[in-house]
């Protein structure tokens, strides 16, 4: 059941909010504010991967954009015992002439940081991104 939550904001913020929502690709102000609040709360509670304690357990996705020829290096990361990879997908992006692999894994912050650093230093890797899963106390799974 939906519940209405309201808040006051100064004129400058209010005028800029619609532009920010549009630039972010949202068509619904409530969904934008909900997602922004959840993202902010998660950052306040857990922080960014770089600032997490080494032993903190993290679940999320590593997205790797690269050129063919490095698949064996990606396989080394997938099959290491540092991250528990539960799913993996590969796509060829014809328009941008690049490949993208997505690893869904769970592991400690230190192991995630090490895997990301390793990936960033492989020739022909164009971009590496990490997206952490939101933390909830209850839900569907």
């Amino acid at each position: 059941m939906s519940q209405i939550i309201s808040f006051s904001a100064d004129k400058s913020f209010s005028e800029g909010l619609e532009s920010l929502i549009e630039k972010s690709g949202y068509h619904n102000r409530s969904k934008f504010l909900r997602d922004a609040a959840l993202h902010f709360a998660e950052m306040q509670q857990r922080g960014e991967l770089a600032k997490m304690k080494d032993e903190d357990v993290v679940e999320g996705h590593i997205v790797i954009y690269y050129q063919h020829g490095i698949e064996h290096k990606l396989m080394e990361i997938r099959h290491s015992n540092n991250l528990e990879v539960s799913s993996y997908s590969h796509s060829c992006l014809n328009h941008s002439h690049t490949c993208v692999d997505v690893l869904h894994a769970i592991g400690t912050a230190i192991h995630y940081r090490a895997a990301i650093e390793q990936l960033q230093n492989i020739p022909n890797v164009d971009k590496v991104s990490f997206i952490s899963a939101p933390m909830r106390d209850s839900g569907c799974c």
Side-chain angles (χ1 to χ4, degrees):
M1 176 178 215
S2 293
Q3 186 174 353
I4 295 174
I5 300 172
S6 63
F7 65 94
S8 299
D10 61 43
K11 186 175 181 178
S12 174
F13 175 83
S14 180
E15 290 172 352
L17 181 62
E18 294 305 319
S19 175
L20 184 61
I21 292 168
E22 185 179 319
K23 288 178 184 176
S24 299
Y26 282 81
H27 298 285
N28 182 300
R29 182 185 307 125
S30 293
K31 286 183 180 181
F32 173 85
L33 291 171
R34 180 204 61 204
D35 289 353
L38 288 171
H39 178 76
F40 179 77
E42 183 177 338
M43 285 301 168
Q44 291 294 95
Q45 292 171 28
R46 295 181 56 181
E48 295 184 35
L49 182 62
K51 296 179 182 176
M52 287 182 186
K53 294 177 185 170
D54 290 349
E55 66 276 3
D56 284 354
V57 176
V58 183
E59 185 173 28
H61 295 83
I62 299 176
V63 182
I64 309 113
Y65 295 91
Y66 65 95
Q67 300 297 305
H68 278 289
I70 66 153
E71 291 81 1
H72 64 286
K73 300 238 183 222
L74 296 174
M75 192 172 297
E76 288 173 14
I77 291 171
R78 285 175 40 207
H79 293 289
S80 76
N81 291 325
N82 294 333
L83 293 176
E84 182 183 325
V85 177
S86 58
S87 72
Y88 177 86
S89 68
H90 170 86
S91 297
C92 292
L93 305 177
N94 296 328
H95 181 73
S96 59
H97 304 284
T98 192
C99 293
V100 62
D101 286 11
V102 179
L103 291 110
H104 169 240
I106 188 167
T108 60
I110 194 169
H111 287 128
Y112 261 107
R113 288 191 297 264
I116 291 167
E117 182 178 340
Q118 181 181 355
L119 288 163
Q120 290 171 330
N121 288 298
I122 297 173
N124 293 323
V125 170
D126 300 314
K127 180 179 179 182
V128 179
S129 299
F130 172 70
I131 305 157
S132 66
M135 294 297 290
R136 296 195 177 101
D137 293 330
S138 63
C140 65
C141 298

